[in-house]
Amino acid sequence: MSEGNDNILTTESLPVLPLRDIVVFPHMIVPLFVGRDKSIRALEEAMAADKNILLVAQKDAQIDDPEPDEINAVGTHSTILQMLRLPDGTVKVLVEGQKRVRLAQYTIMDDYLSAAYEDIDSPIPLSAELEAMMRSIIDRLERYAKLNKKVPQEVLATVSTINEPGKFADTVAAHLIIKMEDKQDILETIEVAPRLETVLQILESEIEILQIERKIRSRVKRQMERTQKEYYLNEQMRAIQKELGEKDETKAELQELEETIKKVGMPEDVHEKAMKELRRLKMMAPMAAEATVVRNYIDWLISVPWDKYTEDKKDILEAEKILDEDHYGLQKVKERILEYLAVHQLVGQLKGPILCFVGPPGVGKTSLAKSIARSIGRNFVRLSLGGVRDEAEIRGHRRTYIGALPGRILQSMKRAESLNPVFLLDEVDKMSMDFRGDPSSALLEVLDPEQNGAFSDHYLEVDYDLSKVMFITTANSLDPIPAPLRDRMEIIRIAGYTEPDKLNIAKSFLVEKQMAVNGLTEGNVSFTDKGILEIIRGYTRESGVRSLERELASVCRKVAREVVKGKEKYKRITISPKVVGEFLGVPKFKHGIIEEKDRIGLTTGLAWTEVGGEILQTEVTILEGKGNLILTGKLGEVMQESARAALSYVRSRAEELGLPRDFYQKVDIHIHVPEGAIPKDGPSAGITLATSLASALTGRPVRHDIAMTGEITLRGRVLKIGGLKEKLLAANRGGVSHVIIPMENEMDIKEVPKEILKGLSIHPVENVDEVLAMALCEAREEQPIPALRPLETDSTGAVTTKVDPVQTH
């Protein structure tokens, strides 16, 4: 607000006309087209009075019926010069801005807004500083008008005659083609000097932008002229070459291309397409840009295989031998490949199967695909889909794009050099999608046996036969794979290797490989079974064997160092558990071992993890309280529900267990499953939780040599669980003698290797009562925990008495 100006709030109210896309300045005459009912009503009210109205810009032009807080605070007191109703119901009005005002108090009428206002315009005399700024603005305005043809030249003459600084700033701002927000900022700038500065800054900015636009237009024009010139010169060169007969080399090349098209064995429709493009190429100048595009297209057509096949090996025994040489175990996968070969031998022609190997990292999914190709005598090609997020990666780009290429499917087929390779789509679960499309949807056609006989790539735009390809996909998890894509594949799950599997793989493959890599012979080093098991148990925790191979490599490197130093020149190093500790240091992992004594409230459970089975201790403590159930150990939602179901079962069997019916109302029950930092979830700990609860509430210890797994229901039924093989291995490794499993899992025992079952007594059960009868011992007196003496301090506050450690027996 200007100095020396006493702004007075008027007592009269004037109708308010909110403006959507224009800011009206004082001294500005402008036509407006009004269509909103409230706005028309405000105009009618102003015409009925003294034709004065308040014109104010809206903050958001999208709002049809703005409230007072959605209208800017500063507007223009204006006079209606002329008003005309149009046939479509709108009104054309000619208004003249009079002065700058601030709206103060709104009155919401029935069908329009009115407001009191205060006059905030403050005319000031012309000073030397203001005159200098006005001259600068006139100079910039002349440059602006030359660059922007939308500004009429008459504006310069009009502005030059204005001597009042405030009116000068408003008139210039009204004729600038700038954003509404910038115009509103100028209108709200009450002080004249800052207003002139703002106008000058906006002019400078607009001139700079317009100059850049002019440079860009000039550059584009020059480029177009250069292109036209090049075309004209190329046409002249073509005519000269024709006269001189210098096109023989090009003709020979095109003739060779035509012969190649005839030889590659394309289908008839593809052959016609290729010949059509070749005829186009012959009509073009060799240096033309389009000629390069057509030539690349023809090169791709003749480079992908059209009638080349490799002959499958029919000897099933030889194929089985190759598969066994390369991989230990994995019987289901090997059986499926041998079944395919057998059917292929009987039928003759067979569509390629589409297999999906699902399993944790490091179990040999990718190398198994290579082994399959070798066993059946086919070419092998691999395409990694990890991180692919563009649909064009699969289908290719259309030829209209510069640098377009076929999709990676056809690029891989070119590398395969046959129509029936083993095609590995690696990490199919790692694809993602974004604004460029969904590659998993593009794969639906590739992996559908009913559709992939006529696969269409965006670049080639001809049908390509993928039906003879044996597609193999790999994934760590099925969840990220879309259901339609999952439905097209035959899922083969590859479980993680057990300890015996890893021991056999190490002895048969890894040790020999790492000894060769590190230059060792059998005369330098020998690995004992116990030594390898020590590496497996103490230094790796994985489903596959990658970490095991790295640790074996580390041992071999250390042996190589000893051999080179000469210390072990005449002595072979035997890798025993003790030597492993010396070479690899402190063990990184510790596997679960059962308790040595029977404990109250402590039950040994069995858990499945991605890296194998594990022993899981479940602890229950009873505290004085009000019936709360406390769950700790980072338990997942399903496991928490299992704990509540187990407690409900124990409550329903209170009488049989010798417990009062209201026992749970006077105690708090705390369930803890170590280790606390490791997330745990799943329903298979149900009977373990129920046994710990029953033990803690009845005071009967749980047998330490029993481990168990099984889901519990409220009626006490024990339901089927998964991962039995891995869980039994963990029990065997942890020194368990007896394992309780659900009756429904009894048939799964056949798939468990005999060496795992050795030393284990398996007890299938149907009801939790059977579990409690086997697991709970007779009640006994627990040794009381000694009380802690209070802390004693000296005069300085230091502790002088130590607490005796609690001894657990």
Side-chain angles (χ1 to χ4, degrees):
M1 198 172 293
S2 63
E3 297 177 3
N5 180 44
D6 297 322
N7 298 319
I8 301 173
L9 178 66
T10 60
T11 55
E12 67 168 339
S13 291
L14 288 180
V16 176
L17 177 60
L19 303 176
R20 285 180 188 265
D21 53 359
I22 189 172
V23 175
V24 178
F25 286 86
H27 319 295
M28 175 181 175
I29 298 175
V30 62
L32 301 174
F33 289 88
V34 182
R36 291 183 284 190
D37 293 337
K38 283 191 176 182
S39 300
I40 294 173
R41 186 72 188 89
L43 287 170
E44 291 172 348
E45 194 69 21
M47 289 295 291
D50 54 359
K51 297 187 179 181
N52 287 329
I53 192 166
L54 300 176
L55 302 179
V56 193
Q58 294 178 198
K59 294 178 180 176
D60 185 356
Q62 303 299 322
I63 299 173
D64 281 326
D65 189 9
E67 297 295 331
D69 59 345
E70 295 168 334
I71 300 173
N72 287 303
V74 176
T76 306
H77 180 291
S78 304
T79 303
I80 300 174
L81 301 178
Q82 185 181 1
M83 178 171 160
L84 176 65
R85 291 186 178 275
L86 300 177
D88 60 353
T90 60
V91 173
K92 181 179 180 182
V93 61
L94 191 66
V95 295
E96 180 181 10
Q98 299 295 336
K99 54 187 176 181
R100 187 180 270 97
V101 295
R102 178 179 284 110
L103 280 63
Q105 297 174 355
Y106 278 89
T107 305
I108 302 176
M109 302 299 186
D110 292 339
D111 46 6
Y112 71 97
L113 287 173
S114 69
Y117 62 93
E118 61 177 323
D119 183 4
I120 56 175
D121 250 342
S122 54
I124 60 172
L126 184 63
S127 66
E129 182 183 354
L130 295 178
E131 186 173 359
M133 279 197 285
M134 289 167 64
R135 289 183 181 180
S136 297
I137 289 173
I138 291 174
D139 179 61
R140 302 299 190 281
L141 189 61
E142 287 178 357
R143 292 167 60 189
Y144 178 79
K146 289 178 181 177
L147 292 168
N148 194 335
K149 301 303 181 184
K150 295 179 182 179
V151 179
Q153 293 295 325
E154 296 81 18
V155 173
L156 293 170
T158 304
V159 169
S160 300
T161 60
I162 301 173
N163 294 321
E164 203 276 303
K167 183 179 179 181
F168 176 89
D170 291 342
T171 305
V172 173
H175 287 91
L176 293 180
I177 302 172
I178 56 177
K179 292 185 289 187
M180 263 194 67
E181 291 81 3
D182 294 336
K183 287 192 174 185
Q184 183 65 32
D185 288 343
I186 294 171
L187 185 66
E188 291 179 2
T189 306
I190 300 164
E191 294 284 347
V192 175
R195 197 188 313 165
L196 287 168
E197 286 180 5
T198 303
V199 171
L200 186 58
Q201 289 173 1
I202 291 174
L203 269 171
E204 292 280 9
S205 175
E206 288 296 312
I207 287 169
E208 185 177 353
I209 292 170
L210 289 170
Q211 286 174 340
I212 293 171
E213 287 180 355
R214 173 176 280 188
K215 288 179 182 177
I216 292 171
R217 284 198 301 270
S218 176
R219 188 162 61 244
V220 170
K221 184 179 178 181
R222 286 197 304 271
Q223 183 65 34
M224 290 178 64
E225 290 173 350
R226 188 184 305 118
T227 304
Q228 291 173 347
K229 180 180 177 182
E230 287 175 356
Y231 175 78
Y232 176 75
L233 292 175
N234 281 328
E235 288 298 314
Q236 282 189 328
M237 189 181 298
R238 184 179 176 186
I240 294 169
Q241 286 177 340
K242 186 175 181 181
E243 290 296 324
L244 296 176
E246 292 180 358
K247 295 191 71 178
D248 293 342
E249 186 178 338
T250 304
K251 283 182 179 180
E253 189 176 347
L254 292 175
Q255 185 66 33
E256 184 182 346
L257 210 56
E258 185 173 354
E259 291 174 1
T260 307
I261 291 173
K262 293 176 181 178
K263 289 179 182 178
V264 294
M266 298 177 181
E268 186 176 347
D269 58 331
V270 181
H271 183 269
E272 289 178 4
K273 176 85 171 175
M275 294 304 295
K276 181 181 176 182
E277 293 295 326
L278 182 61
R279 286 193 293 271
R280 283 184 62 206
L281 181 61
K282 289 179 178 178
M283 300 294 292
M284 295 177 184
M287 302 299 293
E290 183 68 15
T292 305
V293 174
V294 175
R295 176 58 193 265
N296 286 341
Y297 176 74
I298 296 174
D299 283 343
W300 272 106
L301 276 179
I302 62 179
S303 62
V304 294
W306 293 102
D307 65 345
K308 294 180 182 178
Y309 294 90
T310 53
E311 188 175 350
D312 289 350
K313 293 180 181 177
K314 301 294 178 68
D315 191 340
I316 293 180
L317 295 177
E318 184 186 351
E320 186 175 7
K321 180 183 177 184
I322 292 173
L323 290 171
D324 288 337
E325 280 177 2
D326 292 348
H327 289 82
Y328 176 84
L330 306 177
Q331 294 305 319
K332 286 187 178 180
V333 186
K334 295 176 181 177
E335 286 175 10
R336 179 65 183 86
I337 301 304
L338 297 175
E339 288 166 5
Y340 167 77
L341 289 177
V343 174
H344 184 47
Q345 190 168 345
L346 294 174
V347 176
Q349 286 295 328
L350 190 64
K351 288 186 176 180
I354 297 170
L355 310 178
C356 179
F357 297 160
V358 181
V363 295
K365 300 184 294 296
T366 303
S367 60
L368 181 59
K370 291 182 182 178
S371 180
I372 290 170
R374 193 165 73 91
S375 67
I376 62 179
R378 290 192 179 188
N379 297 338
F380 174 78
V381 64
R382 173 180 171 272
L383 170 59
S384 178
L385 296 174
V388 172
R389 58 179 66 230
D390 187 356
E391 180 252 0
E393 292 276 348
I394 306 298
R395 287 186 173 277
H397 294 85
R398 299 195 182 277
R399 281 189 287 158
T400 50
Y401 297 103
I402 295 173
L405 286 172
R408 295 174 68 181
I409 296 292
L410 285 187
Q411 290 183 35
S412 300
M413 291 299 294
K414 177 185 175 183
R415 287 188 286 114
E417 298 180 347
S418 68
L419 269 176
N420 62 338
V422 173
F423 198 132
L424 176 64
L425 296 169
D426 214 0
E427 308 292 358
V428 75
D429 58 331
K430 305 298 189 301
M431 288 186 296
S432 55
M433 60 181 291
D434 63 6
F435 65 93
R436 291 169 291 189
D438 183 4
S440 62
S441 298
L443 274 181
L444 295 178
E445 182 184 3
V446 176
L447 298 181
D448 191 335
E450 302 301 323
Q451 299 180 38
N452 62 11
F455 171 69
S456 177
D457 185 272
H458 287 160
Y459 182 82
L460 292 188
E461 294 179 327
V462 292
D463 290 344
Y464 192 81
D465 186 8
L466 295 174
S467 61
K468 306 299 189 297
V469 178
M470 177 184 281
F471 283 105
I472 298 176
T473 65
T474 69
N476 297 128
S477 173
L478 281 177
D479 295 335
I481 304 175
L485 185 59
R486 201 162 55 228
D487 182 60
R488 284 162 165 78
M489 302 185 291
E490 182 180 340
I491 308 298
I492 299 178
R493 295 185 179 274
I494 301 177
Y497 293 122
T498 61
E499 272 186 14
D501 292 340
K502 291 180 182 179
L503 179 61
N504 276 298
I505 292 169
K507 290 165 63 178
S508 304
F509 302 99
L510 303 182
V511 169
E512 184 178 342
K513 176 183 174 183
Q514 290 304 321
M515 286 174 61
V517 168
N518 291 280
L520 299 177
T521 64
E522 292 183 0
N524 301 128
V525 62
S526 69
F527 284 80
T528 65
D529 288 1
K530 290 184 178 179
I532 296 173
L533 281 174
E534 177 65 19
I535 296 175
I536 294 171
R537 292 174 179 174
Y539 299 89
T540 67
R541 178 166 288 180
E542 58 176 347
S543 301
V545 291
R546 284 183 182 147
S547 294
L548 174 58
E549 185 172 6
R550 282 193 288 268
E551 297 301 330
L552 288 172
S554 179
V555 171
C556 288
R557 288 195 300 272
K558 294 185 184 301
V559 172
R561 182 184 175 189
E562 296 296 326
V563 171
V564 171
K565 286 167 65 176
K567 290 183 178 179
E568 308 295 334
K569 188 172 182 180
Y570 303 104
K571 181 181 176 184
R572 185 170 69 166
I573 298 177
T574 301
I575 306 301
S576 62
K578 182 180 178 182
V579 175
V580 168
E582 294 174 359
F583 280 171
L584 299 182
V586 178
K588 301 173 185 176
F589 305 103
K590 181 181 178 182
H591 290 278
I593 301 175
I594 62 171
E595 291 285 324
E596 296 179 358
K597 295 184 178 181
D598 302 340
R599 304 284 185 190
I600 295 174
L602 180 63
T603 307
T604 302
L606 297 173
W608 177 91
T609 70
E610 288 188 354
V611 295
E614 194 59 71
I615 284 180
L616 203 65
Q617 302 287 357
T618 303
E619 304 172 344
V620 174
T621 300
I622 308 300
L623 311 166
E624 291 185 9
K626 299 181 180 180
N628 295 321
L629 177 62
I630 305 167
L631 301 171
T632 57
K634 208 166 185 182
L635 309 185
E637 187 175 343
V638 176
M639 198 165 180
Q640 292 182 30
E641 291 175 355
S642 293
R644 295 188 183 95
L647 179 58
S648 297
Y649 169 76
V650 172
R651 285 174 56 186
S652 70
R653 307 289 289 172
E655 188 174 340
E656 289 79 356
L657 293 171
L659 299 171
R661 295 191 66 84
D662 61 346
F663 72 89
Y664 59 90
Q665 296 179 356
K666 300 176 183 178
V667 295
D668 286 347
I669 301 173
H670 188 165
I671 299 176
H672 180 65
V673 184
E675 299 170 355
I678 300 174
K680 310 165 195 73
D681 205 359
S684 64
I687 63 172
T688 313
L689 293 163
T691 304
S692 289
L693 285 167
S695 169
L697 291 165
T698 60
R700 297 170 63 185
V702 182
R703 288 177 57 181
H704 72 281
D705 60 344
I706 283 185
M708 59 189 71
T709 179
E711 182 179 352
I712 190 174
T713 70
L714 293 177
R715 293 179 295 160
R717 288 185 59 223
V718 181
L719 302 184
K720 187 175 181 179
I721 50 86
L724 182 65
K725 176 177 150 184
E726 289 82 1
K727 291 178 179 179
L728 292 178
L729 175 61
N732 184 310
R733 185 178 58 217
V736 174
S737 302
H738 302 271
V739 180
I740 299 174
I741 66 170
M743 184 67 75
E744 295 179 28
N745 284 102
E746 188 175 14
M747 63 185 73
D748 299 332
I749 297 176
K750 296 177 183 178
E751 297 185 2
V752 180
K754 293 180 181 179
E755 57 266 24
I756 294 179
L757 296 175
K758 187 177 180 181
L760 290 178
S761 180
I762 310 296
H763 304 277
V765 296
E766 292 183 327
N767 196 281
V768 180
D769 290 343
E770 301 175 56
V771 178
L772 298 181
M774 279 189 278
L776 296 182
C777 306
E778 293 300 321
R780 60 177 172 80
E781 290 290 331
E782 285 276 77
Q783 180 175 345
I785 297 175
L788 301 179
R789 296 197 300 272
L791 296 175
E792 297 180 8
T793 58
D794 57 18
S795 58
T796 64
V799 177
T800 58
T801 304
K802 294 185 178 178
V803 180
D804 293 334
V806 176
Q807 300 292 330
T808 305
H809 299 282

mmCIF file of all heavy atoms in Angstrom, residues 27 45 96 125 186 188 216 288 300 366 379 429 441 501 504 548 619 665 721 765 779 809:
data_model
loop_
_atom_site.group_PDB
_atom_site.id
_atom_site.type_symbol
_atom_site.label_atom_id
_atom_site.label_comp_id
_atom_site.label_asym_id
_atom_site.label_seq_id
_atom_site.Cartn_x
_atom_site.Cartn_y
_atom_site.Cartn_z
ATOM 1 N N HIS A 27 -8.003 1.591 -16.574
ATOM 2 C CA HIS A 27 -7.823 2.322 -17.839
ATOM 3 C C HIS A 27 -7.862 1.394 -19.058
ATOM 4 O O HIS A 27 -7.433 1.772 -20.131
ATOM 5 C CB HIS A 27 -6.494 3.109 -17.855
ATOM 6 C CG HIS A 27 -6.186 3.779 -16.562
ATOM 7 N ND1 HIS A 27 -6.945 4.806 -16.033
ATOM 8 C CD2 HIS A 27 -5.206 3.530 -15.636
ATOM 9 C CE1 HIS A 27 -6.441 5.181 -14.875
ATOM 10 N NE2 HIS A 27 -5.383 4.419 -14.605
ATOM 11 N N GLU A 45 -27.766 -6.379 -12.445
ATOM 12 C CA GLU A 45 -27.894 -5.577 -11.226
ATOM 13 C C GLU A 45 -27.081 -4.285 -11.357
ATOM 14 O O GLU A 45 -27.521 -3.213 -10.946
ATOM 15 C CB GLU A 45 -27.399 -6.389 -10.021
ATOM 16 C CG GLU A 45 -27.780 -5.810 -8.670
ATOM 17 C CD GLU A 45 -29.276 -5.896 -8.402
ATOM 18 O OE1 GLU A 45 -29.961 -6.729 -9.046
ATOM 19 O OE2 GLU A 45 -29.779 -5.100 -7.594
ATOM 20 N N GLU A 96 -14.892 -0.854 -18.914
ATOM 21 C CA GLU A 96 -13.691 -0.029 -18.800
ATOM 22 C C GLU A 96 -13.236 -0.040 -17.349
ATOM 23 O O GLU A 96 -14.007 0.299 -16.442
ATOM 24 C CB GLU A 96 -13.957 1.406 -19.249
ATOM 25 C CG GLU A 96 -12.703 2.294 -19.134
ATOM 26 C CD GLU A 96 -12.973 3.732 -19.558
ATOM 27 O OE1 GLU A 96 -14.161 4.062 -19.753
ATOM 28 O OE2 GLU A 96 -12.007 4.495 -19.649
ATOM 29 N N PRO A 125 3.482 11.433 -8.514
ATOM 30 C CA PRO A 125 4.097 12.259 -9.569
ATOM 31 C C PRO A 125 5.275 11.540 -10.215
ATOM 32 O O PRO A 125 5.886 10.647 -9.641
ATOM 33 C CB PRO A 125 4.557 13.499 -8.811
ATOM 34 C CG PRO A 125 4.720 13.047 -7.396
ATOM 35 C CD PRO A 125 3.667 12.007 -7.160
ATOM 36 N N ILE A 186 0.927 -8.436 -11.106
ATOM 37 C CA ILE A 186 1.116 -7.005 -11.431
ATOM 38 C C ILE A 186 -0.047 -6.188 -10.881
ATOM 39 O O ILE A 186 0.145 -5.105 -10.316
ATOM 40 C CB ILE A 186 1.236 -6.828 -12.962
ATOM 41 C CG1 ILE A 186 2.518 -7.509 -13.468
ATOM 42 C CG2 ILE A 186 1.244 -5.348 -13.335
ATOM 43 C CD1 ILE A 186 2.627 -7.570 -14.974
ATOM 44 N N GLU A 188 -1.836 -6.840 -8.315
ATOM 45 C CA GLU A 188 -1.780 -6.801 -6.851
ATOM 46 C C GLU A 188 -0.586 -6.002 -6.338
ATOM 47 O O GLU A 188 -0.458 -5.789 -5.129
ATOM 48 C CB GLU A 188 -1.718 -8.233 -6.302
ATOM 49 C CG GLU A 188 -3.022 -8.993 -6.507
ATOM 50 C CD GLU A 188 -2.967 -10.412 -5.988
ATOM 51 O OE1 GLU A 188 -1.925 -10.798 -5.432
ATOM 52 O OE2 GLU A 188 -3.971 -11.122 -6.119
ATOM 53 N N ILE A 216 15.333 -21.483 -33.054
ATOM 54 C CA ILE A 216 14.911 -22.859 -33.349
ATOM 55 C C ILE A 216 14.231 -22.912 -34.716
ATOM 56 O O ILE A 216 14.491 -23.806 -35.525
ATOM 57 C CB ILE A 216 13.972 -23.372 -32.239
ATOM 58 C CG1 ILE A 216 14.748 -23.546 -30.918
ATOM 59 C CG2 ILE A 216 13.320 -24.686 -32.638
ATOM 60 C CD1 ILE A 216 13.883 -23.844 -29.720
ATOM 61 N N ALA A 288 20.024 -42.977 -50.529
ATOM 62 C CA ALA A 288 18.792 -42.509 -49.883
ATOM 63 C C ALA A 288 18.648 -43.139 -48.502
ATOM 64 O O ALA A 288 19.010 -44.304 -48.284
ATOM 65 C CB ALA A 288 17.590 -42.832 -50.758
ATOM 66 N N TRP A 300 17.298 -58.852 -42.404
ATOM 67 C CA TRP A 300 16.699 -59.583 -41.288
ATOM 68 C C TRP A 300 15.818 -60.724 -41.783
ATOM 69 O O TRP A 300 15.793 -61.810 -41.192
ATOM 70 C CB TRP A 300 15.889 -58.632 -40.397
ATOM 71 C CG TRP A 300 16.721 -57.998 -39.329
ATOM 72 C CD1 TRP A 300 17.174 -56.715 -39.280
ATOM 73 C CD2 TRP A 300 17.227 -58.643 -38.167
ATOM 74 N NE1 TRP A 300 17.928 -56.516 -38.145
ATOM 75 C CE2 TRP A 300 17.976 -57.688 -37.439
ATOM 76 C CE3 TRP A 300 17.131 -59.934 -37.650
ATOM 77 C CZ2 TRP A 300 18.605 -57.977 -36.245
ATOM 78 C CZ3 TRP A 300 17.770 -60.233 -36.454
ATOM 79 C CH2 TRP A 300 18.504 -59.269 -35.765
ATOM 80 N N THR A 366 19.116 -72.974 -14.875
ATOM 81 C CA THR A 366 19.661 -72.521 -16.155
ATOM 82 C C THR A 366 20.589 -73.573 -16.769
ATOM 83 O O THR A 366 20.501 -73.872 -17.967
ATOM 84 C CB THR A 366 20.412 -71.197 -15.957
ATOM 85 O OG1 THR A 366 19.524 -70.232 -15.372
ATOM 86 C CG2 THR A 366 20.921 -70.658 -17.280
ATOM 87 N N ASN A 379 20.201 -77.085 -30.789
ATOM 88 C CA ASN A 379 20.904 -75.838 -30.479
ATOM 89 C C ASN A 379 20.278 -75.202 -29.255
ATOM 90 O O ASN A 379 19.077 -75.376 -28.975
ATOM 91 C CB ASN A 379 20.841 -74.864 -31.660
ATOM 92 C CG ASN A 379 21.552 -75.411 -32.884
ATOM 93 O OD1 ASN A 379 22.412 -76.284 -32.766
ATOM 94 N ND2 ASN A 379 21.195 -74.917 -34.053
ATOM 95 N N ASP A 429 10.008 -64.383 -13.996
ATOM 96 C CA ASP A 429 9.277 -63.701 -12.915
ATOM 97 C C ASP A 429 9.850 -62.327 -12.600
ATOM 98 O O ASP A 429 9.304 -61.623 -11.746
ATOM 99 C CB ASP A 429 9.292 -64.553 -11.642
ATOM 100 C CG ASP A 429 10.706 -64.866 -11.158
ATOM 101 O OD1 ASP A 429 11.626 -64.934 -12.013
ATOM 102 O OD2 ASP A 429 10.908 -65.032 -9.945
ATOM 103 N N SER A 441 2.465 -59.775 -21.277
ATOM 104 C CA SER A 441 1.321 -59.970 -22.169
ATOM 105 C C SER A 441 1.784 -60.327 -23.579
ATOM 106 O O SER A 441 1.147 -61.122 -24.274
ATOM 107 C CB SER A 441 0.471 -58.696 -22.219
ATOM 108 O OG SER A 441 -0.049 -58.401 -20.942
ATOM 109 N N ASP A 501 22.242 -84.424 -0.833
ATOM 110 C CA ASP A 501 22.357 -83.995 -2.237
ATOM 111 C C ASP A 501 23.599 -83.129 -2.429
ATOM 112 O O ASP A 501 24.372 -83.321 -3.383
ATOM 113 C CB ASP A 501 21.116 -83.201 -2.660
ATOM 114 C CG ASP A 501 19.867 -84.063 -2.727
ATOM 115 O OD1 ASP A 501 20.021 -85.289 -2.823
ATOM 116 O OD2 ASP A 501 18.756 -83.504 -2.664
ATOM 117 N N ASN A 504 26.819 -85.144 -2.311
ATOM 118 C CA ASN A 504 27.051 -85.885 -3.561
ATOM 119 C C ASN A 504 27.474 -84.963 -4.696
ATOM 120 O O ASN A 504 28.354 -85.292 -5.492
ATOM 121 C CB ASN A 504 25.777 -86.641 -3.955
ATOM 122 C CG ASN A 504 25.661 -87.982 -3.253
ATOM 123 O OD1 ASN A 504 26.494 -88.869 -3.427
ATOM 124 N ND2 ASN A 504 24.647 -88.110 -2.418
ATOM 125 N N LEU A 548 28.423 -72.933 -1.667
ATOM 126 C CA LEU A 548 29.273 -74.110 -1.395
ATOM 127 C C LEU A 548 30.450 -74.138 -2.367
ATOM 128 O O LEU A 548 31.595 -74.389 -1.957
ATOM 129 C CB LEU A 548 28.429 -75.382 -1.514
ATOM 130 C CG LEU A 548 29.185 -76.706 -1.391
ATOM 131 C CD1 LEU A 548 29.910 -76.796 -0.061
ATOM 132 C CD2 LEU A 548 28.236 -77.886 -1.572
ATOM 133 N N GLU A 619 8.631 -71.420 22.899
ATOM 134 C CA GLU A 619 8.619 -71.246 24.353
ATOM 135 C C GLU A 619 7.300 -70.627 24.797
ATOM 136 O O GLU A 619 6.780 -69.720 24.134
ATOM 137 C CB GLU A 619 9.759 -70.327 24.789
ATOM 138 C CG GLU A 619 11.128 -70.790 24.338
ATOM 139 C CD GLU A 619 12.215 -69.758 24.619
ATOM 140 O OE1 GLU A 619 11.851 -68.588 24.881
ATOM 141 O OE2 GLU A 619 13.389 -70.123 24.573
ATOM 142 N N GLN A 665 -8.350 -66.693 32.673
ATOM 143 C CA GLN A 665 -8.767 -65.352 33.086
ATOM 144 C C GLN A 665 -7.824 -64.732 34.112
ATOM 145 O O GLN A 665 -7.847 -63.523 34.322
ATOM 146 C CB GLN A 665 -10.184 -65.394 33.641
ATOM 147 C CG GLN A 665 -11.230 -65.811 32.604
ATOM 148 C CD GLN A 665 -12.621 -65.864 33.185
ATOM 149 O OE1 GLN A 665 -12.800 -65.655 34.386
ATOM 150 N NE2 GLN A 665 -13.617 -66.150 32.347
ATOM 151 N N ILE A 721 0.888 -80.668 5.965
ATOM 152 C CA ILE A 721 1.856 -79.568 5.830
ATOM 153 C C ILE A 721 2.750 -79.820 4.625
ATOM 154 O O ILE A 721 2.681 -80.882 4.008
ATOM 155 C CB ILE A 721 2.717 -79.413 7.124
ATOM 156 C CG1 ILE A 721 3.320 -80.759 7.565
ATOM 157 C CG2 ILE A 721 1.881 -78.829 8.228
ATOM 158 C CD1 ILE A 721 4.594 -81.160 6.958
ATOM 159 N N VAL A 765 -0.069 -88.760 13.041
ATOM 160 C CA VAL A 765 -1.196 -88.581 13.982
ATOM 161 C C VAL A 765 -2.337 -87.858 13.269
ATOM 162 O O VAL A 765 -2.139 -87.169 12.271
ATOM 163 C CB VAL A 765 -0.764 -87.772 15.225
ATOM 164 C CG1 VAL A 765 0.283 -88.503 16.025
ATOM 165 C CG2 VAL A 765 -0.262 -86.387 14.817
ATOM 166 N N ALA A 779 4.322 -84.810 35.413
ATOM 167 C CA ALA A 779 4.663 -83.540 36.073
ATOM 168 C C ALA A 779 5.771 -83.769 37.077
ATOM 169 O O ALA A 779 5.883 -84.829 37.700
ATOM 170 C CB ALA A 779 3.436 -82.965 36.764
ATOM 171 N N HIS A 809 18.669 -75.574 35.584
ATOM 172 C CA HIS A 809 19.000 -77.011 35.639
ATOM 173 C C HIS A 809 17.980 -77.796 34.848
ATOM 174 O O HIS A 809 16.838 -77.384 34.723
ATOM 175 C CB HIS A 809 19.011 -77.504 37.085
ATOM 176 C CG HIS A 809 20.052 -76.796 37.927
ATOM 177 N ND1 HIS A 809 21.395 -77.110 37.876
ATOM 178 C CD2 HIS A 809 19.937 -75.762 38.805
ATOM 179 C CE1 HIS A 809 22.059 -76.337 38.713
ATOM 180 N NE2 HIS A 809 21.199 -75.496 39.286
#
